[in-house]
Amino acid sequence: MASVTATPLEEYLATVYEPDREYLDGEVVERNMGEAEHGGLQGILVGWLFALRKELGIHVFPELRIQVAPRRYRVPDILVTTTKVKGRIVTEPPFLCIEILSPEDRAGRLEAKIDDYLAMGVAHIWVVDPRSRNAWTYTQQGKREAAIILTTHDPHIRVPLNELFAELAEQVESE
């Protein structure tokens, strides 16, 4: 079994990682980086949400660190807030966190991340799989598969999955 060297929190916060990494109780954790489908879907979603920012009063950020607990920092693929972000790191619960699955993502790691978001008080979490063309939503009330539309309420965001995946197909040829 490989040993893990603990990294002081101050060192993590002062270091710029390319790509950014998460910090979980003293361990700096690499994130699975997406391929073309992941990056394409991330760009499409950021563009759609950014276009709605003024109408809905939202702020959209790709890959911004959030402090989910005193010694736990996550980096969602996209996060949406309903208030301006203060400082370099989000410390208030975002309205929406979006995770786009990469081929290397594992269920246990994803579930731990979702649990962190929910414990922090994130209202809505979307998980989107660009390969299988499936999506799920998580709230404090539980998990559900999104068959037709990804939604939130207050503000009301609607993303039709057929349009989302059709736009992805225009950019990326599936394997």
Side-chain angles (χ1 to χ4, degrees):
M1 177 180 266
S3 63
V4 176
T5 304
T7 301
L9 178 58
E10 300 75 25
E11 181 179 326
Y12 167 76
L13 293 174
T15 303
V16 175
Y17 298 97
E18 289 295 331
D20 203 359
R21 297 180 182 167
E22 297 182 328
Y23 183 85
L24 306 175
D25 302 317
E27 182 182 355
V28 175
V29 179
E30 288 188 39
R31 297 167 40 241
N32 289 329
M33 291 311 299
E35 297 168 348
E37 288 182 313
H38 180 284
L41 192 58
Q42 184 177 17
I44 293 165
L45 281 167
V46 166
W48 281 11
L49 294 168
F50 191 78
L52 296 171
R53 75 191 185 288
K54 291 184 179 179
E55 175 187 338
L56 299 177
I58 59 175
H59 308 273
V60 182
F61 301 91
E63 301 178 6
L64 184 62
R65 287 181 185 177
I66 63 172
Q67 183 179 10
V68 295
R71 294 184 40 79
R72 296 179 73 80
Y73 291 75
R74 296 290 191 172
V75 183
D77 290 312
I78 304 167
L79 70 84
V80 176
T81 65
T82 54
T83 60
K84 285 185 177 181
V85 170
K86 300 173 189 118
R88 297 178 330 134
I89 296 169
V90 174
T91 57
E92 298 295 320
F95 172 70
L96 168 65
C97 287
I98 302 172
E99 291 295 337
I100 301 166
L101 298 181
S102 298
E104 298 80 23
D105 283 329
R106 300 291 169 253
R109 287 180 71 176
L110 179 63
E111 288 172 12
K113 188 178 265 200
I114 291 165
D115 289 346
D116 279 349
Y117 295 152
L118 291 171
M120 180 193 196
V122 175
H124 299 273
I125 303 157
W126 293 349
V127 175
V128 185
D129 186 343
R131 295 175 80 91
S132 71
R133 305 298 203 250
N134 292 314
W136 299 266
T137 62
Y138 297 78
T139 65
Q140 295 296 335
Q141 289 71 42
K143 170 188 176 181
R144 76 172 180 83
E145 185 166 2
I148 299 171
I149 298 174
L150 284 166
T151 63
T152 67
H153 60 278
D154 198 22
H156 190 65
I157 300 172
R158 297 173 50 86
V159 175
L161 291 174
N162 61 341
E163 291 179 34
L164 178 69
F165 293 129
E167 192 163 331
L168 179 62
E170 290 176 14
Q171 293 187 37
V172 178
E173 189 172 319
S174 297
E175 293 179 6

